[in-house]
Amino acid sequence: MNTDTSQQLQQQILDAFEHAIALRIVGGNSKAFYGRAVSGEALNVAEHRGILNYEPTELVITARAGTPLNEIEKILDAKGQMLPFEPPAFATTATIGGTIACNFSGPRRAYAGAARDYLLGCKIINGKGEILSFGGEVMKNVAGYDVSRLMAGAVGTLGVLLEVSLKVLPKSEMEATRVLHCSNVEALEKMHVWSQTALPISATCFDNTSLRVRLSGAAKAVDAAINAIGGEDMDNASRYWMDLKEQRLDFFKTEKPLWRIAHASDIEPLPLEGEYLYEWGGALRWLKSDASAEFIQNTVAAADGHASLFRHTQQQGLFQPLTPGLMRIHKNLKQAFDPKNILNPGKLYPEL
Amino acid sequence: MYHFEKVESKIDRATLIDALQGIVSGESVLFEEEDLRPYECDGLSVYRALPLAVVLPKTIEQVQAILSLCHQYHVPVVARGAGTGLSGGALPHEQGVLLSLAKFKKIIHIDPKRRIAKVQPGVLNLEISQAADPYGLYYAPDPSSQIACTIGGNVAENSGGVHCLKYGLTVHNIQQLKIITIEGELLTIGGSGLDSAGYDLLALMTGSEGMLGVIVEVTVKLLPKPDRAQVLLAAFDDVAKAGEAVGNIIAAGIIPAGLEMMDKLAVRAAEDFAHAGYPLEAAAILLCELDGTNEEVSEHVLKVREVLKHSGATEVRTAKDDAERLVFWKGRKAAFPAVGRMSPDYYCMDGTIPRKQLPRVLQTITDLSKKYDLRVANVFHAGDGNLHPLILYDANVPGELARTEEFGGKILELCVEVGGTITGEHGVGMEKINQMCVQFNSIELNQFHAVKAAFDPQGLLNPGKAVPTLHRCAEFGAMHVHNGKLPFPELERF
C-alpha cells in the first residue's frame, strides 16, 4: 500500500488552525500509553504511507510517516541492513513516524546511537498548516538549524511528521550473547570495564541476577570478544533481546507504574524501593515502584538524571519537570511552530 | 559581496567600551584599530570588518554580564573561538562587540568511566584527544583544522572531519552544553545520561552558528581507541569507477572509518608537496581506512581489497605498517596547502551530494571550470558525500575573485539540484547566505527566523548570518536563475 494523504492532512490542520481546534495525532496507535493524554480531534497519519526512496549503497531510506515500522525493517533486512537504533514497536501497527516522534530506541542505543542520531531529514506540517522540509538524504548537512532532530522526541507538539529520511547500516556478520551471574554492583563494574575497550558489544541487560551481553560484528571479532568476556552462551538469545525491546519479558508484566530512569551509567543503585532492570550499560534503568512521582523524580534529579512515568494503567506521562529557563525556551519554540497550540497540546507538558 | 544588518543601538561607542571595562579588566577590552585588526576576519579572509570592540572574558559571570549589557543597549554580539571557520561565521559586526572565548581554555575534567570530557569552549579539538589518550580514549570528530580549532566553534558549526561516516558529526558526540542566552541567563542543555527531558535542544544548538546563545561549557563523549587501524590506497583510471567502488564497499557490509577520494589535480598537488608515493597517472585515488579490533581489521582488509579489484582499481596497495599508513594520509591531509602552492589563492567549497551523483557533479564542475576559465581540484569525503572543490584563482587579477565566487555559487546550487546541500560541514555563515535562498523556500526560512526569535527576539546574536532575510533572497533573485530546475516547483519561492 502506498498512498499520499498529505493534502488531506494539511487541509485538516489548516481548518484546525482557523478554528483553533486541538488535534490528537494518531499513527498506528501502538504507543498511545506514552505521554500525557490529549483530548482533541483525531488526525490520522497512518494512511500517509509508502517507502519513497531506498538506496542501500547510499545507506539512506526515506518513507512517509505512516509507513509501518515492520515494512521498513523487512525491506532493509532483504538487503542485509537495519535501523541501527533498534526501535521497539510495541504493536505490529507501529509506524516510522510515531517511532521518530517518540525518539524510541532499543537495546543497541548505548552502543550505536538513538533514533535522533540516525534522522537525516524530514518533511513536516507545522501548526499553521505549512509544509516544510529540513535536512535531507545526505549524512552531512549543516544548512540552517537542525529542525529535523528537534522533531525527534517532540511527540508531535511542534509539527506533524510527513516524511523522514534515516541513515541505515549493514547488519553484523555474527551475533552472540553471553550470560554472567553477578550482583548489580558487579554488573555495573563489568560493563564499565568493557566500555573502555573496543569490544564489539551491541547490548547489555541486567535483571537482578544475570548480566546478558550481546556481541555483534565480524566473526573473528565476536569470537575474540567471547574469550575476553567469559560467561556462558545463551540459548534463544535473539528472542530474548526482542522480548526486552518490546517489553514482553516477565519484568514488564505488572500493574505497578513503570518508570524510565536515565542518568550517567555509573550511578550507584538509587535508594528507590522497587524492582529494577538495567539496560544501556547502566544508563537506562527501568523501575517498577509505587513510590510517589515527586519522590522518584527528586531522587533521580539529585543524581543529575531524569525520570518519566513510561507506562501505567491509571496515570499517563509524567515527564521530569524542566527548569524555568528551559521551560521558557520550550514555550517559545512551541509558539514558533504551533502558535495556536493545536498539535497534540499537553502531550509532553501541560504548558506545551 | 555582503552587507550588514543595520541595528539601532542605544549606546555610543565610548560609553560601551567604558561599560565593558567595568565588567572585565582593562586589557581584556580591545578598541584601538591595530588591536582590532587580528579579529577582522575568520578563516574566510575575503570578508573583513572591524567591530566596535573586542572583549575577552574569562568567567561565565563575565559573559553573562557582557550579554546582559549588550541586550540592554541593543548591541550585536558575535562570538568567536579560534577563528578558523571557513564560512565567515565569526566575521565581526561593524556596530557590535566581538566576544572572544579564547580565555576559556580549561579542560575541567575527564571521566574515563563515563567516557566524557567536560571542557571550556576555547579548548582545542586536538587537546581533548591528547588529554584523553592516557585513558585509551579519544574524541572522534577531527576537522582538518583540529590542531587550531576550538571545541566551542566545533559545536557552533557542527564540525565533521574524515571519520563522519562511521563516527558521526559533533552532534553525535556531545552530551551537554552550558550556554548563555542574550539576556545573560545560564542554561544547561542535555544531561549527564544518554538523553534528557523535553525537546532536543542539544541538536538545535549544535550547528546554530552563534545565533541562539553563547556556549560556555561543552561535555563531549569519548570513545575507546580502536586496537588497530589499517589503510588501503586504490588507483582508478576513471572517477566514476572510484565512486562505484565506494558503493561496493558499503554493499559488502563494511563501514570504513575513513573513505577519501582525490581527483587527478588534487593527487598531483598532494604528491608534489608530500611525496606520499601516489600514482600520478590515476584519474582518481581512494584512501580507505578500516579500524576496530585486530581480528575485525584483518578480515575487512582482505574483503575491501577484493572489492576494490573487482570495481576496476588499476592498483591496490595496503600500508604495510603504521609508518606507511601515515604517509598515505600525509598527502591527503596536505591536499589543501598543496593545492595552495599551485596558485596564488584558492577558494574551498563545501557541498554534499548523494554519492551516486558524483560522476554527473564532477562533469558539470569540469564544464563550469572551462566556462569560468578557473582550475578546480576536487577532494571528496566519499563515504558521506561531502565534496570540497578547491577553485584556483589569483586575487590580484581584477575580476577573478568575483568570477570565483560566482563559480562557487553555481557549484553549491548544483549540489542542491542533485538532492544534496550547500554545506556539509563549514556552515553557512556569511559566505553561503545567498545559496540558502536556493535550498529553502520562504516559509522554511520564516520558520528558521521563528526559531531564532524563540531564543533571541531582538536578533542581536550574530545578526545577518546563517539565515537570509526574505528581502535579501528577493534581491539575490536565485529563483529566476533556476526556474523550473528546483525541487518542489509548486512551492512559492523568493
Side-chain angles (χ1 to χ4, degrees):
Chain A
M1 236 192 347
N2 201 330
T3 47
D4 179 355
T5 63
S6 57
Q7 282 190 349
Q8 292 94 300
L9 292 168
Q10 185 181 25
Q11 193 54 53
Q12 193 178 346
I13 295 171
L14 285 169
D15 292 345
F17 177 71
E18 196 185 329
H19 305 291
I21 298 165
L23 295 173
R24 180 170 52 87
I25 307 164
V26 185
N29 212 29
S30 58
K31 294 179 262 291
F33 62 86
Y34 183 68
R36 296 161 41 83
V38 174
S39 52
E41 183 183 301
L43 180 81
N44 290 302
V45 188
E47 279 108 66
H48 185 62
R49 60 185 283 184
I51 291 164
L52 300 173
N53 183 29
Y54 173 43
E55 299 267 356
T57 62
E58 301 274 341
L59 299 173
V60 176
I61 190 164
T62 297
R64 295 197 181 105
T67 311
L69 184 59
N70 56 23
E71 187 180 323
I72 288 175
E73 285 172 334
K74 208 167 140 191
I75 190 175
L76 294 177
D77 193 61
K79 295 286 179 186
Q81 297 188 335
M82 62 176 179
L83 294 174
F85 51 99
E86 208 177 355
F90 297 128
T92 53
T93 53
T95 63
I96 191 65
T99 302
I100 296 301
C102 293
N103 191 30
F104 276 175
S105 309
R108 200 180 295 267
R109 189 269 173 260
Y111 310 93
R116 61 85 97 165
D117 291 310
Y118 290 90
L119 183 61
L120 299 175
C122 62
K123 189 191 262 195
I124 65 166
I125 312 181
N126 67 13
K128 292 192 275 184
E130 295 169 334
I131 295 182
L132 313 161
S133 290
F134 299 102
E137 294 189 312
V138 291
M139 310 276 158
K140 271 169 144 179
N141 188 349
V142 293
Y145 304 120
D146 196 344
V147 174
S148 303
R149 286 198 176 87
L150 186 62
M151 295 297 140
V155 290
T157 59
L158 297 177
V160 177
L161 292 169
L162 280 183
E163 288 169 19
V164 295
S165 295
L166 297 163
K167 178 180 172 180
V168 301
L169 285 178
K171 294 187 127 177
S172 306
E173 185 183 309
M174 190 176 148
E175 257 180 15
T177 295
R178 309 298 290 176
V179 190
L180 294 91
H181 302 286
C182 58
S183 72
N184 54 0
V185 175
E186 286 166 341
L188 285 174
E189 186 57 37
K190 281 181 197 298
M191 290 190 285
H192 282 89
V193 169
W194 297 331
S195 74
Q196 289 168 68
T197 68
L199 289 169
I201 295 175
S202 69
T204 48
C205 181
F206 176 74
D207 67 0
N208 235 4
T209 58
S210 304
L211 173 61
R212 291 178 175 81
V213 187
R214 186 176 65 190
L215 303 160
S216 310
K220 285 181 185 165
V222 171
D223 281 342
I226 288 172
N227 288 329
I229 281 178
E232 302 152 15
D233 188 46
M234 187 185 178
D235 290 337
N236 273 326
S238 59
R239 175 71 188 268
Y240 174 82
W241 294 111
M242 178 68 85
D243 286 347
L244 170 66
K245 173 173 78 105
E246 299 298 339
Q247 302 196 335
R248 292 190 298 238
L249 295 175
D250 285 343
F251 174 88
F252 294 102
K253 291 173 186 156
T254 179
E255 294 295 307
K256 289 192 181 206
L258 177 68
W259 287 87
R260 179 191 187 277
I261 297 173
H263 50 45
S265 55
D266 65 343
I267 295 287
E268 285 182 17
L270 293 174
L272 291 169
E273 287 290 318
E275 208 182 325
Y276 283 96
L277 185 84
Y278 295 6
E279 280 194 80
W280 301 1
L284 176 68
R285 300 182 192 179
W286 300 100
L287 169 67
K288 292 187 289 191
S289 175
D290 288 319
S292 76
E294 198 187 351
F295 182 69
I296 290 174
Q297 289 184 325
N298 286 343
T299 307
V300 174
D304 202 17
H306 68 107
S308 49
L309 180 60
F310 191 77
R311 206 195 267 263
H312 189 217
T313 45
Q314 281 136 50
Q315 212 179 3
Q316 267 197 303
L318 293 170
F319 294 97
Q320 187 80 32
L322 299 174
T323 62
L326 285 181
M327 181 49 88
R328 183 173 56 83
I329 298 287
H330 275 66
K331 283 194 209 160
N332 291 350
L333 282 170
K334 173 74 172 170
Q335 180 71 22
F337 283 89
D338 179 19
K340 288 200 182 165
N341 197 24
I342 58 170
L343 300 178
N344 267 358
K347 180 87 180 160
L348 199 53
Y349 292 98
E351 300 91 329
L352 303 177
Chain B
M1 276 315 292
Y2 64 95
H3 54 84
F4 285 97
E5 306 271 314
K6 289 269 182 271
V7 294
E8 299 283 333
S9 298
K10 296 172 190 153
I11 190 169
D12 63 71
R13 181 166 184 241
T15 318
L16 174 69
I17 290 166
D18 267 357
L20 290 171
Q21 284 172 331
I23 297 169
V24 297
S25 61
E27 70 272 19
S28 297
V29 182
L30 310 176
F31 52 87
E32 301 288 353
E33 192 189 326
E34 66 266 30
D35 295 328
L36 297 179
R37 255 325 140 198
Y39 297 90
E40 68 180 351
C41 65
D42 62 10
L44 183 68
S45 58
V46 296
Y47 299 138
R48 292 165 200 261
L50 291 182
L52 295 182
V54 173
V55 59
L56 298 110
K58 59 180 178 193
T59 68
I60 286 180
E61 292 73 22
Q62 288 172 347
V63 176
Q64 289 182 278
I66 292 162
L67 288 169
S68 167
L69 173 79
C70 291
H71 180 243
Q72 184 182 353
Y73 294 107
H74 210 82
V75 178
V77 181
V78 177
R80 175 186 169 107
T84 57
L86 293 171
S87 59
L91 177 73
H93 193 285
E94 284 170 339
Q95 296 173 287
V97 167
L98 186 94
L99 177 64
S100 166
L101 280 309
K103 290 188 177 175
F104 283 78
K105 284 181 149 335
K106 212 171 129 201
I107 294 179
I108 299 164
H109 77 265
I110 290 187
D111 186 334
K113 210 171 172 191
R114 292 186 181 179
R115 287 189 288 123
I116 56 159
K118 189 168 276 197
V119 304
Q120 292 190 325
V123 169
L124 304 182
N125 173 298
L126 189 61
E127 283 176 343
I128 301 175
S129 289
Q130 285 167 343
D133 188 68
Y135 306 102
L137 302 171
Y138 78 113
Y139 175 63
D142 58 344
S144 56
S145 56
Q146 72 175 154
I147 56 165
C149 62
T150 64
I151 189 68
N154 288 177
V155 175
E157 301 293 327
N158 193 14
S159 303
V162 297
H163 295 105
C164 292
L165 178 67
K166 186 164 180 183
Y167 296 108
L169 293 102
T170 304
V171 71
H172 302 104
N173 289 281
I174 60 171
Q175 187 169 292
Q176 191 175 62
L177 295 175
K178 285 192 177 152
I179 68 156
I180 314 288
T181 66
I182 185 64
E183 289 96 350
E185 187 178 5
L186 174 68
L187 296 179
T188 301
I189 285 172
S192 61
L194 292 175
D195 48 38
S196 56
Y199 296 146
D200 195 342
L201 301 183
L202 197 63
L204 192 59
M205 282 304 301
T206 311
S208 63
E209 304 197 18
M211 306 281 290
L212 306 180
V214 174
I215 297 157
V216 291
E217 189 185 292
V218 184
T219 303
V220 303
K221 297 179 189 170
L222 302 173
L223 294 179
K225 290 204 289 186
D227 294 343
R228 187 177 148 205
Q230 177 68 281
V231 65
L232 293 98
L233 186 159
F236 292 87
D237 56 11
D238 176 8
V239 175
K241 280 187 199 164
E244 254 167 59
V246 172
N248 293 341
I249 292 170
I250 288 164
I254 294 169
I255 301 297
L259 201 49
E260 296 289 308
M261 191 191 294
M262 289 190 274
D263 74 359
K264 194 165 195 156
L265 190 55
V267 168
R268 180 169 299 259
E271 182 56 28
D272 285 351
F273 187 80
H275 309 293
Y278 290 162
L280 292 173
E281 68 288 356
I285 68 163
L286 259 189
L287 287 173
C288 176
E289 179 159 297
L290 300 160
D291 71 6
T293 63
N294 235 321
E295 302 80 9
E296 192 175 11
V297 173
S298 304
E299 205 171 307
H300 285 173
V301 165
L302 290 176
K303 259 196 191 171
V304 169
R305 233 189 129 73
E306 279 309 301
V307 172
L308 289 167
K309 284 186 172 162
H310 275 119
S311 307
T314 51
E315 185 189 353
V316 183
R317 298 183 207 162
T318 309
K320 58 181 182 294
D321 51 28
D322 224 41
E324 195 175 30
R325 180 176 78 89
L326 294 175
V327 170
F328 281 6
W329 273 116
K330 192 177 160 203
R332 165 60 189 92
K333 291 197 169 167
F336 287 17
V339 168
R341 294 207 317 177
M342 298 172 74
S343 162
D345 301 283
Y346 72 92
Y347 200 118
C348 174
M349 308 307 299
D350 167 48
T352 305
I353 54 170
R355 198 182 338 91
K356 63 179 175 189
Q357 299 285 359
L358 185 68
R360 174 180 161 196
V361 169
L362 289 182
Q363 185 54 52
T364 311
I365 290 177
T366 306
D367 297 345
L368 286 167
S369 165
K370 282 180 196 139
K371 180 180 161 197
Y372 286 98
D373 192 24
L374 293 164
R375 287 182 298 163
V376 185
N378 287 292
V379 178
F380 187 45
H381 300 307
D384 48 47
N386 189 194
L387 184 66
H388 292 307
L390 306 170
I391 306 175
L392 280 54
Y393 72 102
D394 183 349
N396 289 322
V397 176
E400 216 166 83
L401 173 60
R403 222 159 71 231
T404 301
E405 287 186 296
E406 194 183 316
F407 180 10
K410 296 285 175 218
I411 293 176
L412 298 182
E413 288 158 30
L414 172 67
C415 291
V416 176
E417 200 180 303
V418 301
T421 173
I422 58 169
T423 174
E425 56 183 355
H426 294 172
V428 173
M430 186 56 92
E431 182 198 22
K432 283 164 254 176
I433 196 99
N434 286 337
Q435 279 73 34
M436 283 291 281
C437 315
V438 179
Q439 186 159 339
F440 296 99
N441 64 38
S442 61
I443 50 174
E444 288 156 352
L445 292 173
N446 271 336
Q447 187 66 73
F448 285 145
H449 288 302
V451 168
K452 160 87 169 162
F455 287 80
D456 174 22
Q458 297 175 78
L460 295 175
L461 289 169
N462 218 3
K465 312 276 180 63
V467 185
T469 59
L470 300 187
H471 177 70
R472 191 187 171 106
C473 287
E475 275 186 356
F476 177 57
M479 299 310 120
H480 175 70
V481 177
H482 293 277
N483 199 15
K485 286 189 188 169
L486 285 165
F488 312 113
E490 74 282 8
L491 294 177
E492 183 189 11
R493 306 256 182 189
F494 280 73

